Amino acid sequence: FLTATAAYVVQLYLYKCACLKWEEVSIMDEKNIPIRTYQVCNVLEPNQNNWLRTDWIPRSGAQRVYVEVKFTLRDCNSLPGVTGTCKETFNLYYHESNEDRESYIKESSFIKVDTVAADESFTQVDVGDRIMKLNTEVRDVKVTTRKGFYLAFQDVGACIALVSVRVFYKTCPLTVRNLATFPDTITGADTSSLVEVRGSCVNQSEEREEPKMYCGADGEWLVPIGGCLCNPGYEERGGACKACRAGFYKAKSTDPGCAKCPPHSHSLRDGATICDCHAGFFRADTDPPSMACTQPPSAPQQLISVVNETSVVLEWTPPHRLGGRSDTSYNFPRPGSAGGSVSSSQFCAPCGSDVLFSPGQTGLTTTRVVVSELRAHTHYTFIVHARNGVSQASGAGAAQSVSVSVTTNQAAPSPVSSIQATDVTRHSLSLSWQQPDRPNGVILEYEVKFYEKDQRERSYRIMRTFSRSVDVTGLNPLTVYVFHVRARTAAGYGEFSTPFEFSTNSDPFPLIGEGVNSAFLLLSVSGVGILLLISAAVFIISRRRSKYSKTKQDSEEEKHLNPGVKIYVDPFTYEDPDQAIHEFAKEIDVSSIHIEKVIGMGEFGEVCSGRLRVQGKREIYVAIKSLKAGYSDKQRRDFLSEASIMGQFDHPNIIRLEGVVTRCKPLMIITEYMENGSLDAFLRKHDGQFTVIQLVGMLRGIASGMKYLSDMNYVHRDLAARNILVNSNLVCKVSDFGLSRVLEDDPEATGTYLSPGGKIPIRWTAPEAIAYRKFTTASDVWSYGIVMWEVVSYGERPYWDMNNQDVIKAIEEGYRLPAPMDCPVVLHQLMLDCWERDRAERPTFSQILNMLDKLIRNPGTLRRTGGERYLQCTKAKTEISSSKVWSLCEWLQSIGLERYRDTLAAAGYTSLDSLLALTHQIEVEIMNPR
Ligand code: AMP
């Protein structure tokens, strides 16, 4: 017997109470079905008190029960003679009890629920001849204290028939709301009470927010709060969580539903929380499941290196294939770390931690990095690794890397630090310091500059030492001195240290330590003054004597004072020749060299041409000199010494060393390729084909290269057209730097003249070098004059077929090569200047260069030539070779100036000797008469 919201049916037990006025009577209902009723109808007697009680009704957890009573009640008006005694109501009572079989309950134990009156709306029931109205009344009672209760009906004088009593309680039925299940819940005790109920998540779901609802007194669910979400791999369908189908996935419970697998991925089974990547595709840990599967990038491309002293700028272009991602980054893996070592060579060591990568070594998003703080003149291999989010997952390694090898340049040493003064006296102190942090090569010496603080740098002194300390003497007492120290390597001077100030004291002896070492006593300030005076005098005198001297001295001074001016280092000063070669030359991997053809024969073996491809650089043509098999240690050393020397030079008119191969045989020296070979042969091949300006251009190049060498304090000793190489642009470059061969192995020297130290190419060599091996830049200038002559005469052999002894003699006697045919007078004059007997009178290469530059700027000056002179000279040369003594006339004729014979005679110069005593200025006047 249920209502829409009620869920509990109680059996109705009606028992007659002790008073027997209630009767159980069978009657027919309106459908003529017999029903049992309890009736009482004592309307004529006053003071009725008739009770009818139910059996014990278990409460079953209910807190409020509803009692629905169906009954009929006679209208008192329809009964005659009952006025005053007839009632139209009855009372409903209850009694709570744990006892299910109480036989006797006192009236007073019952609590009244209500007085029930008949309703006005009646259903008519035909009971015999009477029309009765069936009433339905419902009352609710709070029952909370015992396990059950009894109900009782009290009649106080009505005519009543109880047709049915239904007792029930209300529940909120089991329900699913927001994916949470709420159980069947008994309503609260009071009509206004709400029972708070916590829901539990349905299968395959998880709590989003605690699911709650309230069960109202009427059995209705109210105010749902919170709820659940389907687990990953499941979506809500019809209030339940159902698995995603194959090909679909749901990664998070908060995702709205199952989604199709992203590109390059799939799911084969139902309930996928993520789709698996297709073979060869990957997903990074941080990639969302909705992202397509991707691939690692290919290697970076076109890695280019630009070396700037001890820094390298590395640039590359992004990988050809980015793998479908936009998070490509670049790393320079540290050795030993995943991705490989910094170098592929077994000889390479890892870069130190002091090497700086800017903007960084890992995680670069730019395609350019500047690597600094590298060691000078050191071979480095850099590996750039392209990575993206799936590189690690894919385990890809070498395929994503590109490497480049570079050799850093020489660099001046860094400043010295930690200068200290000890053993301080009134006139002296000992200065010591630390080696520069970055020597960048072998420290050849230290230079200490110091001055009185008051004097600033107006007057200072310089000391040089090989050790890291020096005793400074000759100081003034109680005077503050400022000291600067700098180091010099093959690359030149480094920066001076920051100033270090120290004061002498008034003590004659040092407080601690030994006394002053007088052997180190240097020039005092006054000494410097005297020296300056002498220098000034020498300077003025030499200026008067020679137009070339001043600049020469200036440049020498510059060399000592300018930091960073490179000084050539003799590789033979290294005990280990391999140290020298690796300090100055780059080791080349033999696999990057492709030899094409033999182009000449060198002293140590064939000379070939070929191509060199260094990674990250464009392929270039090179000349490859190799050391033939079966060489001795000395030959190996001599062969490599040329590279050690060449490697120190960097000038457009000096043949450029690309590198060496020393780690496998044959040993090779790789230089730039000079298409037109050696200058002498080239000129002979193209006799008369160039303009004067072109010839002067070649000479200018050679002079420029020689100036560079002389600035570096390098003396070539074998400067000759055969040792100049010419490229396709007619650029001339000085080559042949083998030290020993200069003296012993040049064919021009072999068997010709053996000086105490070796053989000398007589025709190109200055007299003082022949006589007592005084090889200097000035003797190179002499040779340069001969090269000028070779160039202008298109490869003619100097002094033609004269033998060496005759050449030496002729030079001794003042003979000089005449101007070649069509030789501009100024050029021949320059040659004669180079052939000054007194080497101090010869121009410097810097002056020669200036002169040639002027000529090139004013080609008109080149127009004047000696005309017929060449023929006369040719004739003269036979005379010279046979004659013992030259007259002034012959000499003038030989150099094309015989027209000045009378002028000279008039001036008192009648012999060659008297003329040779002339100063240069007079010669110039003669050459350029007003
Ligand atoms: P060397 O050993 O320097 O005397 O070289 C022998 C010959 O090889 C030279 O006379 C040149 O003809 C040729 N040769 C040497 N070096 C080069 C080069 N860098 N480029 C072209 N030819 C060269």
Side-chain angles (χ1 to χ4, degrees):
F1 202 65
L2 291 168
T3 67
T5 53
Y8 195 89
V9 184
V10 282
Q11 264 189 302
L12 177 65
Y13 303 96
L14 282 176
Y15 288 89
K16 283 184 204 161
C17 80
C19 165
L20 293 175
K21 299 273 177 70
W22 286 87
E23 288 172 310
E24 190 175 345
V25 179
S26 290
I27 58 168
M28 296 298 207
D29 72 3
E30 66 271 38
K31 291 176 185 153
N32 249 359
I33 295 167
I35 54 168
R36 307 272 307 165
T37 64
Y38 285 92
Q39 295 186 9
V40 66
C41 192
N42 297 321
V43 289
L44 294 172
E45 296 164 40
N47 302 323
Q48 290 297 308
N49 183 22
N50 307 313
W51 288 76
L52 178 68
R53 192 195 71 170
T54 66
D55 207 349
W56 185 77
I57 304 167
R59 183 158 69 88
S60 301
Q63 302 185 79
R64 175 164 293 275
V65 294
Y66 295 80
V67 182
E68 183 199 74
V69 184
K70 290 194 173 177
F71 64 95
T72 60
L73 190 88
R74 281 290 296 267
D75 178 0
C76 283
N77 292 335
S78 64
L79 297 170
V82 294
T83 313
T85 53
C86 181
K87 300 284 186 313
E88 289 185 351
T89 60
F90 63 93
N91 296 319
L92 177 64
Y93 287 85
Y94 76 103
H95 164 67
E96 290 189 78
S97 171
N98 290 329
E99 219 19 81
D100 61 349
R101 280 180 209 282
E102 281 191 67
S103 53
Y104 177 73
I105 308 168
K106 284 190 290 183
E107 282 178 26
S108 59
S109 299
F110 282 95
I111 299 165
K112 186 175 172 182
V113 178
D114 202 5
T115 296
V116 182
D119 201 313
E120 283 184 331
S121 65
F122 295 102
T123 306
Q124 286 195 339
V125 178
D126 187 3
V127 183
D129 57 347
R130 288 173 291 149
I131 300 290
M132 293 182 45
K133 294 171 184 165
L134 185 64
N135 294 285
T136 301
E137 290 293 327
V138 178
R139 296 293 181 272
D140 54 317
V141 183
K142 182 175 170 179
V143 280
T144 53
T145 61
R146 301 285 190 280
K147 284 185 192 158
F149 57 91
Y150 296 88
L151 291 176
F153 302 87
Q154 183 195 25
D155 167 54
V156 287
C159 192
I160 183 171
L162 286 180
V163 176
S164 76
V165 177
R166 191 167 65 102
V167 180
F168 60 89
Y169 60 83
K170 291 184 182 176
T171 63
C172 296
L174 177 138
T175 189
V176 173
R177 198 74 66 84
N178 295 338
L179 291 174
T181 308
F182 293 86
D184 201 20
T185 304
I186 300 168
T187 55
D190 298 313
T191 45
S192 60
S193 66
L194 295 175
V195 179
E196 185 184 303
V197 182
R198 199 185 176 289
S200 50
C201 293
V202 301
N203 275 349
Q204 301 296 352
S205 74
E206 61 189 35
E207 207 171 279
R208 168 170 52 92
E209 191 190 332
E210 185 182 25
K212 268 194 304 190
M213 269 208 291
Y214 293 90
C215 178
D218 276 348
E220 275 170 24
W221 288 108
L222 303 169
V223 201
I225 299 170
C228 303
L229 296 168
C230 286
N231 287 342
Y234 290 81
E235 66 182 347
E236 183 177 353
R237 261 180 262 147
C241 291
K242 299 280 167 53
C244 298
R245 290 189 296 275
F248 289 78
Y249 77 103
K250 194 182 108 175
K252 285 187 285 178
S253 51
T254 47
D255 290 346
C258 299
K260 213 168 176 314
C261 285
H264 308 299
S265 69
H266 59 271
S267 69
L268 299 175
R269 278 177 294 139
D270 287 356
T273 55
I274 193 160
C275 298
D276 297 328
C277 290
H278 292 163
F281 287 83
F282 307 92
R283 187 176 278 129
D285 289 346
T286 50
D287 286 352
S290 57
M291 188 172 146
C293 291
T294 53
Q295 292 179 304
S298 54
Q301 305 181 91
Q302 294 160 20
L303 175 57
I304 300 285
S305 62
V306 180
V307 176
N308 180 10
E309 294 208 333
T310 55
S311 304
V312 180
V313 179
L314 299 168
E315 276 185 274
W316 59 92
T317 52
H320 165 65
R321 193 165 41 77
L322 294 176
R325 304 182 64 90
S326 56
D327 58 349
T328 307
S329 67
Y330 307 96
N331 288 343
F332 288 84
R334 291 185 175 84
S337 68
S341 97
V342 160
S343 169
S344 57
S345 162
Q346 55 172 318
F347 296 96
C348 291
C351 290
S353 55
D354 46 349
V355 170
L356 291 183
F357 288 76
S358 176
Q361 188 171 359
T362 54
L364 293 165
T365 49
T366 55
T367 55
R368 181 177 192 273
V369 75
V370 180
V371 189
S372 53
E373 305 286 303
L374 295 168
R375 280 164 51 196
H377 218 278
T378 304
H379 187 71
Y380 285 89
T381 298
F382 295 98
I383 302 171
V384 193
H385 203 133
R387 292 182 61 80
N388 66 15
V390 296
S391 291
Q392 200 171 3
S394 69
Q400 300 165 300
S401 312
V402 65
S403 69
V404 68
S405 292
V406 298
T407 300
T408 49
N409 298 334
Q410 290 192 356
S414 62
V416 305
S417 58
S418 309
I419 302 176
Q420 283 188 328
T422 51
D423 299 347
V424 184
T425 71
R426 54 195 300 182
H427 292 302
S428 68
L429 51 80
S430 295
L431 209 62
S432 60
W433 54 87
Q434 293 294 312
Q435 173 168 299
D437 288 344
R438 305 185 68 79
N440 293 335
V442 177
I443 302 237
L444 301 174
E445 66 177 7
Y446 290 97
E447 186 177 84
V448 180
K449 179 166 99 171
F450 61 98
Y451 47 87
E452 287 179 23
K453 191 175 179 191
D454 294 347
Q455 291 287 313
R456 303 258 166 75
E457 285 192 64
R458 281 194 291 274
S459 151
Y460 59 83
R461 291 161 58 190
I462 296 274
M463 293 177 78
R464 298 200 175 91
T465 172
F466 294 110
S467 65
R468 282 191 285 104
S469 62
V470 71
D471 292 332
V472 186
T473 56
L475 304 175
N476 292 328
L478 295 170
T479 307
V480 177
Y481 282 88
V482 180
F483 297 88
H484 303 260
V485 184
R486 64 179 178 175
R488 180 169 77 81
T489 62
Y493 281 108
E495 293 279 323
F496 270 120
S497 60
T498 47
F500 170 74
E501 289 182 16
F502 208 83
S503 170
T504 49
N505 57 32
S506 56
D507 297 312
F509 301 106
L511 291 177
I512 305 164
E514 293 163 292
V516 178
N517 182 354
S518 59
F520 284 100
L521 198 68
L522 273 181
L523 296 172
S524 67
V525 175
S526 58
V528 170
I530 292 166
L531 191 73
L532 285 176
L533 268 179
I534 294 169
S535 310
V538 168
F539 173 74
I540 292 162
I541 292 164
S542 57
R543 227 180 106 86
R544 285 183 58 192
R545 289 195 69 223
S546 165
K547 64 182 177 187
Y548 297 123
S549 312
K550 181 186 173 291
T551 335
K552 182 176 177 183
Q553 286 192 0
D554 283 352
S555 71
E556 267 171 14
E557 210 165 290
E558 256 169 41
K559 249 179 261 168
H560 290 301
L561 296 179
N562 279 356
V565 171
K566 272 198 187 177
I567 305 291
Y568 154 77
V569 181
D570 182 350
F572 284 82
T573 56
Y574 285 78
E575 250 172 56
D576 174 8
D578 281 334
Q579 193 194 339
I581 193 79
H582 289 121
E583 176 147 2
F584 299 124
K586 182 168 72 178
E587 181 71 30
I588 288 182
D589 189 339
V590 74
S591 66
S592 50
I593 304 166
H594 300 278
I595 298 179
E596 281 175 353
K597 62 173 187 232
V598 178
I599 50 167
M601 202 54 205
E603 181 208 339
F604 295 99
E606 288 167 347
V607 181
C608 299
S609 65
R611 281 171 292 128
L612 172 69
R613 168 150 231 139
V614 176
Q615 216 173 18
K617 294 189 180 157
R618 66 188 169 80
E619 191 179 67
I620 51 167
Y621 283 97
V622 287
I624 304 142
K625 283 187 184 181
S626 46
L627 177 59
K628 57 181 175 262
Y631 53 82
S632 65
D633 269 354
K634 182 177 179 306
Q635 280 173 316
R636 178 181 192 274
R637 193 178 174 133
D638 289 349
F639 175 73
L640 292 179
S641 72
E642 179 168 25
S644 298
I645 296 168
M646 224 188 295
Q648 298 182 46
F649 305 141
D650 180 10
H651 188 273
N653 295 105
I654 305 291
I655 197 82
R656 189 180 67 248
L657 177 72
E658 293 298 342
V660 290
V661 176
T662 63
R663 295 198 178 124
C664 60
K665 288 181 183 161
L667 302 194
M668 296 183 206
I669 296 178
I670 319 295
T671 61
E672 65 179 310
Y673 179 59
M674 301 294 283
E675 295 81 354
N676 283 316
S678 49
L679 178 61
D680 60 341
F682 173 69
L683 288 171
R684 282 195 282 272
K685 196 167 147 202
H686 297 280
D687 195 356
Q689 292 177 10
F690 300 118
T691 64
V692 179
I693 285 289
Q694 278 176 311
L695 296 178
V696 175
M698 293 180 202
L699 290 173
R700 192 217 174 266
I702 302 166
S704 175
M706 288 308 295
K707 174 185 177 308
Y708 174 82
L709 294 181
S710 69
D711 285 347
M712 279 189 72
N713 273 6
Y714 177 79
V715 180
H716 190 289
R717 302 182 184 207
D718 197 12
L719 179 58
R722 66 182 168 279
N723 289 332
I724 303 293
L725 291 167
V726 189
N727 72 10
S728 54
N729 295 323
L730 292 194
V731 176
C732 290
K733 306 201 181 194
V734 181
S735 82
D736 248 69
F737 298 99
L739 267 191
S740 63
R741 61 186 291 194
V742 169
L743 299 178
E744 293 184 7
D745 302 303
D746 191 317
E748 272 307 326
T750 313
T752 51
Y753 182 79
L754 189 63
S755 80
K759 292 162 191 168
I760 290 173
I762 297 300
R763 285 153 216 271
W764 284 266
T765 307
E768 75 274 15
I770 296 172
Y772 51 95
R773 298 181 49 73
K774 184 72 188 164
F775 285 98
T776 58
T777 291
S779 62
D780 276 350
V781 167
W782 179 289
S783 310
Y784 179 80
I786 305 292
V787 172
M788 288 183 73
W789 192 89
E790 289 186 277
V791 169
V792 182
S793 65
Y794 283 92
E796 178 67 275
R797 179 170 168 76
Y799 312 97
W800 306 274
D801 50 5
M802 284 167 71
N803 69 36
N804 283 338
Q805 286 305 330
D806 283 348
V807 171
I808 293 172
K809 214 177 289 163
I811 295 297
E812 250 328 283
E813 290 169 4
Y815 172 73
R816 296 297 184 265
L817 282 168
M821 189 162 67
D822 296 328
C823 174
V825 171
V826 277
L827 282 189
H828 188 235
Q829 182 55 49
L830 192 55
M831 293 177 207
L832 294 173
D833 288 347
C834 294
W835 299 327
E836 281 287 352
R837 172 184 295 277
D838 180 354
R839 66 177 191 278
E841 292 299 304
R842 294 172 204 155
T844 63
F845 280 116
S846 168
Q847 290 165 328
I848 293 172
L849 196 60
N850 283 341
M851 176 76 160
L852 295 176
D853 281 341
K854 259 189 233 161
L855 297 181
I856 292 168
R857 279 198 299 274
N858 308 297
T861 50
L862 292 164
R863 239 171 262 139
R864 227 182 108 231
T865 64
E868 302 293 282
R869 214 177 323 139
Y870 188 76
L871 282 178
Q872 293 165 358
C873 288
T874 316
K875 188 164 156 268
K877 94 184 168 189
T878 352
E879 290 165 15
I880 294 159
S881 56
S882 55
S883 68
K884 299 274 177 270
V885 180
W886 270 3
S887 68
L888 175 65
C889 169
E890 282 171 325
W891 180 73
L892 285 174
Q893 192 192 20
S894 75
I895 59 171
L897 298 177
E898 68 271 41
R899 63 185 177 282
Y900 295 111
R901 194 178 60 185
D902 295 342
T903 320
L904 286 171
Y909 297 98
T910 49
S911 73
L912 197 52
D913 281 347
S914 61
L915 193 66
L916 288 173
L918 271 175
T919 65
H920 193 85
Q921 274 108 329
I922 296 169
E923 282 180 50
V924 170
E925 266 175 43
I926 293 169
M927 297 296 290
N928 305 295
R930 265 170 240 122

